[in-house]
Amino acid sequence: EVQLVESGGGLVQPGGSLRLSCTFSGDTLSDYSMGWVRQAPGKGLEWVSRISAAGTPTYYVDSVKGRFTISRDNAKNTILLQMNSLKTDDSAVYYCATAPGMLYRGQGTQVTVSS
């Protein structure tokens, strides 16, 4: 069975950067489109970004365009999310998930943007 483990979250000041990493195991990563979803307190799940099995095309929610970059390394079974110019509204639990239906999802990593 597919397992996803996220890392890289933490506390950062507004304007700062974080890089989230997701380690994939249990199947062949190159068979899956992948993505990152987030959930802020009191809100529902929101797709932040997705990347196709081959690496393109990619998708970003409007609120993160130009600030976040998703990438993947199928040989290393890794999906990355580089987050720059972070805002307080980016605070949430971030989950790595298979796309588009989130059949598999990790346990999440907390991102807190605060001064």
Side-chain angles (χ1 to χ4, degrees):
E1 181 170 321
V2 170
Q3 292 189 322
L4 302 169
V5 179
E6 304 94 339
S7 61
L11 173 64
V12 64
Q13 293 186 339
S17 297
L18 284 174
R19 188 176 77 163
L20 304 185
S21 181
C22 172
T23 300
F24 176 102
S25 64
D27 206 337
T28 303
L29 176 59
S30 59
D31 289 344
Y32 292 85
S33 294
M34 298 295 299
W36 292 89
V37 295
R38 66 185 178 187
Q39 187 167 30
K43 297 187 177 180
L45 289 168
E46 174 187 46
W47 276 106
V48 175
S49 182
R50 294 192 296 269
I51 186 168
S52 70
T56 57
T58 56
Y59 159 85
Y60 298 93
V61 68
D62 284 348
S63 60
V64 309
K65 284 181 180 176
R67 301 189 296 122
F68 290 13
T69 303
I70 192 170
S71 62
R72 65 191 295 158
D73 186 334
N74 290 337
K76 295 183 178 179
N77 289 322
T78 301
I79 303 95
L80 300 175
L81 185 69
Q82 178 67 43
M83 306 188 296
N84 299 328
S85 302
L86 282 161
K87 305 176 180 180
T88 55
D89 286 349
D90 294 319
S91 296
V93 178
Y94 283 71
Y95 301 92
C96 176
T98 55
M102 282 188 272
L103 178 62
Y104 301 106
R105 192 177 78 188
Q107 292 299 306
T109 186
Q110 177 71 49
V111 171
T112 302
V113 184
S114 175
S115 55

